[in-house]
Amino acid sequence: MHPMLTIAIRAARDAGNVIVKAYGDPSKTKVEQKGTNDFVTNVEKEAEAAIIATIKKAYPEHTIIAKDSGATTGADTDYQWIIDPLNGHINFIKGIPHFAVSIALHVKGKAEVAVIFDAIGDEIFSACRGKGAQLNGYRLRAGSAKDLSGTVLATGFPHSMKHQQDTYMNIFGALFSECADIRAAGCPALNLAYLAAGRIDSLWSMGQKPWETAAGNLIATESGAIVTDFAGGHDFFKSGNSVAAAPRVLKDMLAKIRPNLTESLAK
């Protein structure tokens, strides 16, 4: 196993232990509101600290970009760990068992290692660039649907981009008319992991933060899926607007999405 993947898995399990323990005793979870529709808990802060401690012990000179504590620039900026300690934290707050730890390593701007850990389900999705994606050590392959007919899609409602809700709902309607069903389960990292595992056939999202999708993007692509922005380009990590699917389904997705985009989203 890639040594940095080993550390990523260890860090994810350390965070998962914090999360599972807290999930079993909701009275110990304290919720703070950071802004409109933006919350943070003491649990994710503790989980993030556990991840950082594990990474720093192994690689003290690496840079870390974390959801809550921000960027900690190390002596070696070529190696950047991108961390979301509790992706799907609203589900956690509400007692819904659908959330995950997300850890990615970028080397000179390219994703090299990724781990998504569903601590409740004890599922570790992982990938190394060029080595494929795995679930608990078994190889993953994205689904092989040829078009949108009969597919199950996933999405996330754009709670941070409500000014785009009309556009979003137009896209939703265009896709829903062609597919079998759509899921909005509240955990972007697991959406991408489930795409890699063939549990869903495609997904699209608006305004996602880098730490929400950094690990999932690599796991999805290493499973054979393709990730693009709404224009079919490669700006999805910066814009936060993405579409992911097997190649043939992606073509259908983009054909339905593009006519509904505003000028700002079409770039």
Side-chain angles (χ1 to χ4, degrees):
M1 185 181 293
H2 192 297
M4 293 181 187
L5 178 60
T6 300
I7 295 302
I9 291 173
R10 185 181 303 165
R13 285 202 175 276
D14 289 344
N17 289 337
V18 172
I19 292 165
V20 170
K21 184 177 179 180
Y23 189 72
D25 187 359
S27 66
K28 293 184 178 179
T29 298
K30 298 179 178 62
V31 182
E32 301 173 26
Q33 185 163 356
K34 298 166 61 178
T36 304
N37 299 319
D38 190 8
F39 302 90
V40 65
T41 70
N42 59 314
V43 176
E44 57 198 293
K45 289 180 179 179
E46 291 172 17
E48 184 172 287
I51 294 169
I52 292 172
T54 300
I55 293 172
K56 282 294 186 183
K57 183 177 180 180
Y59 302 108
E61 296 188 347
H62 288 189
T63 291
I64 295 176
I65 300 170
K67 175 187 175 184
D68 294 307
S69 59
T72 303
T73 303
D76 191 344
T77 56
D78 284 344
Y79 290 81
Q80 295 186 336
W81 295 84
I82 304 172
I83 298 165
D84 190 341
L86 185 49
N87 188 252
H89 66 289
I90 298 299
N91 285 346
F92 175 84
I93 291 169
K94 293 295 185 180
I96 301 169
H98 191 75
F99 43 79
V101 180
S102 175
I103 301 173
L105 172 64
H106 282 197
V107 180
K108 296 183 178 180
K110 291 185 177 181
E112 294 291 339
V113 169
V115 171
I116 294 172
F117 180 36
D118 174 358
I120 298 297
D122 195 26
E123 291 189 323
I124 290 185
F125 302 85
S126 63
C128 291
R129 177 175 293 277
K131 303 296 184 181
Q134 296 185 333
L135 167 56
N136 291 347
Y138 292 93
R139 182 68 184 265
L140 291 178
R141 294 298 300 175
S144 57
K146 297 179 180 179
D147 53 41
L148 280 169
S149 176
T151 57
V152 175
L153 312 185
T155 187
F157 293 113
H159 58 85
S160 64
M161 296 179 66
K162 289 192 175 181
H163 60 288
Q164 296 284 4
Q165 62 180 302
D166 290 342
T167 298
Y168 175 83
M169 293 310 298
N170 288 339
I171 293 171
F172 189 104
L175 293 171
F176 188 61
S177 66
E178 298 292 328
C179 71
D181 208 346
I182 296 176
R183 301 284 184 266
C187 184
L190 285 179
N191 280 349
L192 285 157
Y194 283 10
L195 173 66
R199 296 175 182 176
I200 59 172
D201 299 292
S202 181
L203 63 92
W204 87 99
S205 57
M206 277 187 188
Q208 300 296 318
K209 302 300 182 184
W211 48 82
E212 293 183 299
T213 59
N217 286 337
L218 180 61
I219 292 169
T221 55
E222 285 294 324
S223 75
I226 298 175
V227 184
T228 74
D229 58 27
F230 288 166
H234 302 289
D235 195 42
F236 54 89
F237 194 65
K238 181 179 178 181
S239 71
N241 305 323
S242 63
V243 187
R248 292 184 182 180
V249 178
L250 181 74
K251 182 179 178 180
D252 275 8
M253 291 280 290
L254 292 173
K256 294 294 182 182
I257 289 172
R258 283 172 177 155
N260 294 291
L261 297 176
T262 61
E263 184 177 350
S264 62
L265 289 173
K267 295 179 179 179

